[in-house]
Amino acid sequence: MKLQRKNGLRATALGALAVSGALVLTACGSDDNTAPGDSGTKASAASKEVCADAKGQLRASGSSAQKNAMDLWVKNYMATCTGVEVNYKSSSSGEGIVAFNQGTVGFAGSDSALKPEEVAESKQICKGGQGINLPMVGGPIAIGYHLQGVDNLVLDAPTLAKIFDNKIKNWNDEAIKKLNPDATLPNKQIQAFHRSEDSGTTQNLGKYLGAAAASDWKYEAEKKWPAPGGQAASGSSGVASQVKQVDGSIGYFELSYATSQKIPTVKIDTGASAPVEASSANASKAIAAAKIKGTGKDLALDLDYATKADGAYPIVLVTYEIVCDKGNKAETLPAVKSFLNYTASEDGQKLLSEAGYAPIPAEINAKVRETVKGLS
């Protein structure tokens, strides 16, 4: 299954340029009123409509969780809208929000919704408006591990909480044995890796542990790693790289990093009928139950991290694209609207499953597209 996903990602990336025109044009709803033989004229006219007045350079930064999705989206979009150069800098959610509130990017990516104080700060940049959260990418936070001889590791929230809080220190701990009665667990020290910088992925993991293991995880869900011990690495790619290299290690990162590096992932015992694997489909089941908690044009979501529904993978995140509802810079507004219209389109969302992510539920995504249309 992992190899199949990786091949899917490669195929998607390689095929993106070949089909990008069709993807973007279909996504934006252009009508095919062209007579046979006029396909070139139709494509040219439709492309002009899709890209509208978008031109120049569109800078964005933030969440590394959506990097692999952004790579595909940018290739697709720029193949059609050749007058726009989209430059997404993958860093962290915290850095993306800082850049947005400093006015240096057209939009930011964040795995956590804006805090009230960040919204207040955004009003200095969004003249007459404020920053809002547009859910664009969903997906599972995989718990990747590297343990020779163990292929199907199962853990639950309390055990994960104790591992990341440095309370369970060896792989043959009784709590891990109980969840894996058929595994031969070595007497080996656990090396737990976490993000070194402020990260929405960290915050979402904290929300899960706080909801599903409240008695064992006493920390507030913040972007900064809260627990003592462990080892730090930069970005999801850095954590994944360390887990890939170090026997006895465990860490957290988006599923696409696990599939691309062939890192095995933990199945989560949620109390459902069977442990749940980290997969796009299983994450979608959890995200589908999300409710919009934002007001006005803000579409921040409320996720159920303690779900026990069969087949619902509970450790999920939603990456938001953060924009101004009003007061976006005139020189980049057309490109922002054009690009986000594509990422929220049916074709843009379809790419997510193939790349190890989960599409945003259709009902919520329709509201995203409507909001993007009204940005000013």
Side-chain angles (χ1 to χ4, degrees), residues 89 153 192 221 348 359:
K89 179 184 177 183
L153 187 67

Side-chain angles (χ1 to χ4, degrees), residues 27 64 78 121 161 256 270 376:
S64 64
M78 285 179 22
E121 188 178 352
S256 60
T270 65
S376 61

Side-chain angles (χ1 to χ4, degrees), residues 85-117:
E85 180 185 349
V86 182
N87 183 350
Y88 182 79
K89 179 184 177 183
S90 172
S91 52
S92 69
S93 298
E95 292 175 72
I97 290 172
V98 169
F100 178 76
N101 279 339
Q102 290 177 342
T104 60
V105 294
F107 69 90
S110 175
D111 307 322
S112 298
L114 291 168
K115 295 179 179 180
E117 59 268 29

